[in-house]
Amino acid sequence: MFTKRIACIGAGYVGGPTMAVIAMKCPRYKVNVVDVNADRIQAWQTDDLPIYEPGLLDVVKSARGRNLFFSTDISAAIRESEIIFVSVNTPTKTFGEGAGKAADLQYWEKVSREILHEADGPKIVVEKSTLPVKTAQTMEDILNANGKKYRFEVVSNPEFLAEGTAIRDLLEPDRVLIGSRETPGGLQARQEIVDIYANWVPPDRILTSNIWSSELSKLVANAFLAQRISSINSISALCEKTDASIQEVARAVGMDTRVGNRFLNASVGFGGSCFKKDILNLVYICESYGLQTVARYWESVLEMNEYQEARFVKSMIREMFNTIVGKRIALFGFAFKADTSDTRESPSIYVTRMLHEERAEIAITDPKALDNARIDLADIAENVEFDESPYEAASGAHAVAIMTEWNLYRSLDWKEIYKAMEKPAFVFDGRNILDHGALFEIGFNVYPLGRPPLKHF
Ligand code: NAD
Ligand code: UGA
C-alpha cells in the first residue's frame, strides 16, 4: 500500500516537524519517527506536543496514525525503511580535542553503527542534522566497512527551517538542498530524495549539488545570517553614541536590493541552538585547514554577539545609578525568539546570569518558555521568580527589560505596569518593539537599542 518507507532517527525540533510535513504531503509514504527519548515520543502521540511551533499540531494530526508514526523502536524502523533521515543533535564538543568548538559527532556515529547493525538491505542515509563538511566521508566509511553485500548511500539534505516559522518554512521553502556523491549510486539516491520534496516543492526550488557543497552550505548559511545580526548590532552601539537611529539606518541600508531588508533587526543578541555552535564548528574547520585569518573573521561574529549582550546589561547598571543590588528587574521574554518555547542559547540566559552576579532580584515572565527557563536557571532558581503574568513580574520592579519580541508585550496596559513599579521606572527595550514615545509620556525612562534614550532627568 505504501510506495516508500521513510524513517527519521531523532524526533526533535527538526525531525518532528520535517517528517510531519512529509507525511502530510505524501500520504502514500509511510513515515516512522523514532527517538531514544521515550517521553518525547510519548508526547508526539498526544495533542500536547513536545515542542511549541505554530501550526504544527494540525499538520501532525492530519497524518498521525495514517502514515505518520512515532516510536522508540529504532531497530524496526531501520529494517523497515529504504530511506533513513538522521536528525539527532550535533552539539559543540565539551571535552578533549576541539572542546568548545568542534561538533560532537558521537550521536551521529552511534546512529550510523545502529543502522549498520540492523540493516538487512541497502539503505539511503540522509544527513538532516547540521554536520561539519566531510562528515559524509566518515559515515560512508563506517557504513560500508560492513562485510555485507549491499551499499549504503549517504546523502546530505540540510534543514533551513527557523523555529517559530517551521511549518511555513517547510511548506514553502526558499530552497531545498540535496547533495550527493556524483557516482551512479549517489545520483540515484539523490533522485530518491528529490522525488520526496517534488510532491510539494516547485522544481526550481530543489537544488542539487555535490555532497561537500551541501554540507558546507548549511554552515555558511547560518554564519551569514548571524553575521548580519552582528553587523547591525555593532552599528546599534555606534548609533547610541551619535544620535543616529538604528531603525532608520537599517531601513536605508536594507532598501538596497543587493543588501535586502530582512534580518536587520538590532537586538540584545542572537540566540538559538545553532548559530553559535555552527559558527564555532566553521571556525574549527578553518583552523584545522590552517586558515587562521578566515577562522578569526567568523569568530568575530560571536565576539560581537557577546559584546552586545554584555553591553545591554552594562547600560542597565549605568543608567540605574550604577548599582542594581537588591533592585527587582523584570525580564519580559525568555525564549530565544518569539513563537517558540525553545530557550537554547537564549540571550536571556546570559543577561539573567549577569544581573544575578550584580545581585539584582530577577522576575522572569514568558508565555511559552517558563518551564525551560526553570531548567536553564536551576542553579540560581532560589534567587529568581518565574511569573506567568507580565504584570506580576513588573510589580514592584525598578526596570522592565524586553528580551523576546513576543507580540503580546506591545499591547500590554503599560499605564498599569507603570503604576505598579518603583519610581523612577525604566524600560530597556532589547528588541525595539515598544512604542517608546508613548512609554515616555506615561512616565518611563526608555532605553531603546541603537537610539537615543528618552529620559525624564
Ligand atoms: P533536538 O535536540 O531537538 O533533537 C534531537 C533528538 O535526537 C533528541 O530528541 C534526541 O533524543 C535524539 N537522539 C540523540 N541520539 C539519538 C540516538 N542515538 N538514537 C535516537 N535518537 C537520538 O535537536 P534539533 O534542534 O532537532 O536539531 C537536530 C539537528 O538539526 C542538529 O544538527 C541541528 O544543528 C540541526 N538543525 C536544527 C534546527 C532548529 O531549528 N532547531 C534547524 C536546522 C537544523
Ligand atoms: C536559524 C536560521 O534562520 C535557520 O535558517 C536555520 O535552519 C536554523 O537557525 C538552524 O540551523 O538551527 P532559528 O535559530 O530558529 O533559525 O531562528 P532565527 O529566526 O534565525 O533567529 C535566530 C536568532 O537571531 C534569534 O535569537 C533572533 O531573535 C535573532 N535575530 C534574528 C535578531 O536578533 N535580529 C534579526 O533581525 C533576526
Side-chain angles (χ1 to χ4, degrees):
M1 166 197 168
F2 292 116
T3 56
K4 260 189 215 291
R5 277 163 300 267
I6 296 173
C8 177
I9 304 180
Y13 285 88
V14 168
T18 327
M19 292 302 128
V21 166
I22 291 179
M24 179 179 80
K25 288 292 182 183
C26 313
R28 304 200 57 208
Y29 301 171
K30 182 172 183 191
V31 181
N32 263 319
V33 188
V34 291
D35 203 293
V36 281
N37 183 333
D39 291 343
R40 234 178 193 187
I41 288 298
Q42 204 273 331
W44 280 111
Q45 287 158 342
T46 69
D47 286 356
D48 190 14
L49 300 181
I51 60 174
Y52 171 71
E53 192 63 57
L56 176 61
L57 183 59
D58 288 342
V59 174
V60 169
K61 279 167 115 174
S62 75
R64 196 169 53 193
R66 176 190 71 182
N67 64 326
L68 174 65
F69 304 93
F70 295 95
S71 145
T72 49
D73 193 346
I74 300 171
S75 313
I78 293 172
R79 282 197 301 273
E80 190 183 289
S81 312
E82 306 91 61
I83 300 174
I84 303 167
F85 284 82
V86 184
S87 73
V88 301
N89 34 331
T90 50
T92 305
K93 213 173 159 199
T94 53
F95 54 89
E97 179 71 17
K101 275 189 188 162
D104 183 348
L105 296 179
Q106 61 170 310
Y107 308 105
W108 241 94
E109 175 160 349
K110 191 164 178 283
V111 168
S112 302
R113 290 183 187 280
E114 224 162 335
I115 295 173
L116 175 61
H117 187 251
E118 294 297 338
D120 49 8
K123 308 277 174 196
I124 299 171
V125 177
V126 186
E127 297 179 338
K128 197 49 152 168
S129 306
T130 303
L131 294 162
V133 56
K134 290 281 175 184
T135 303
Q137 180 73 66
T138 315
M139 297 310 150
E140 284 171 356
D141 290 348
I142 294 172
L143 288 166
N144 288 315
N146 58 30
K148 295 185 179 172
K149 299 263 177 318
Y150 36 82
R151 237 193 104 70
F152 295 90
E153 291 294 341
V154 179
V155 174
S156 161
N157 170 221
E159 184 48 60
F160 295 106
L161 68 79
E163 289 177 29
T165 53
I167 297 303
R168 197 184 66 208
D169 296 341
L170 288 166
L171 291 175
E172 293 166 39
D174 286 352
R175 79 305 204 187
V176 168
L177 179 58
I178 301 163
S180 72
R181 292 285 196 175
E182 283 160 330
T183 56
L187 291 172
Q188 205 182 336
R190 178 195 286 188
Q191 191 56 43
E192 290 273 343
I193 309 305
V194 168
D195 290 347
I196 297 175
Y197 289 100
N199 281 287
W200 78 96
V201 180
D204 60 343
R205 298 210 170 185
I206 302 179
L207 213 62
T208 55
S209 74
N210 88 34
I211 195 158
W212 317 128
S213 309
S214 175
E215 288 180 333
L216 185 56
S217 299
K218 172 62 197 177
L219 293 181
V220 174
N222 273 358
F224 269 52
L225 290 168
Q227 181 202 40
R228 266 175 93 86
I229 303 168
S230 278
S231 297
I232 203 73
N233 281 347
S234 74
I235 301 303
S236 74
L238 184 58
C239 285
E240 286 165 30
K241 298 283 182 203
T242 57
D243 288 344
S245 151
I246 193 64
Q247 280 152 320
E248 290 174 357
V249 173
R251 187 150 184 261
V253 173
M255 273 179 80
D256 185 327
T257 51
R258 292 171 302 177
V259 176
N261 60 11
R262 295 179 63 193
F263 250 69
L264 285 179
N265 292 322
S267 66
V268 54
F270 60 73
S273 63
C274 294
F275 280 177
K276 184 174 175 189
K277 114 178 141 53
D278 292 348
I279 291 177
L280 286 170
N281 190 349
L282 187 63
V283 166
Y284 183 73
I285 293 167
C286 293
E287 283 172 349
S288 64
Y289 285 108
L291 302 171
Q292 300 302 340
T293 308
V294 184
R296 296 294 79 78
Y297 176 74
W298 287 107
E299 208 162 40
S300 73
V301 171
L302 296 177
E303 281 167 21
M304 184 52 60
N305 202 47
E306 282 163 22
Y307 167 78
Q308 187 75 346
E309 288 165 349
R311 201 170 77 75
F312 188 73
V313 175
K314 280 185 188 153
S315 134
M316 288 173 86
I317 299 169
R318 189 181 60 241
E319 299 303 330
M320 293 168 75
F321 316 112
N322 288 310
T323 175
I324 53 171
V325 177
K327 290 183 183 167
R328 182 176 167 95
I329 297 179
L331 298 186
F332 279 23
F334 203 80
F336 80 96
K337 62 186 279 195
D339 293 326
T340 178
S341 55
D342 195 348
T343 59
R344 292 178 289 179
E345 299 292 339
S346 175
S348 295
I349 299 175
Y350 301 97
V351 168
T352 305
R353 290 192 181 279
M354 285 187 259
L355 294 173
H356 179 250
E357 292 254 304
E358 292 291 332
R359 305 193 180 166
E361 285 178 19
I362 303 149
I364 293 172
T365 181
D366 189 289
K368 295 284 175 196
L370 282 189
D371 287 347
N372 282 331
R374 283 191 189 93
I375 297 168
D376 296 331
L377 301 174
D379 57 318
I380 56 165
E382 73 278 12
N383 296 313
V384 180
E385 188 179 299
F386 300 92
D387 295 305
E388 294 289 336
S389 151
Y391 296 99
E392 233 165 79
S395 177
H398 289 253
V400 169
I402 304 291
M403 302 301 299
T404 311
E405 70 282 21
W406 287 105
N407 245 334
L408 78 102
Y409 299 145
R410 297 175 205 264
S411 51
L412 294 174
D413 185 341
W414 283 97
K415 279 189 185 143
E416 277 305 306
I417 290 177
Y418 180 75
K419 264 195 240 156
M421 285 177 66
E422 290 290 326
K423 310 294 176 320
F426 295 82
V427 169
F428 296 89
D429 188 353
R431 296 287 182 168
N432 279 344
I433 56 167
L434 301 179
D435 181 339
H436 300 139
L439 291 180
F440 179 69
E441 288 295 309
I442 292 171
F444 285 103
N445 297 297
V446 188
Y447 295 82
L449 264 183
R451 281 168 60 176
L454 302 169
K455 359 188 221 185
H456 293 282
F457 44 79

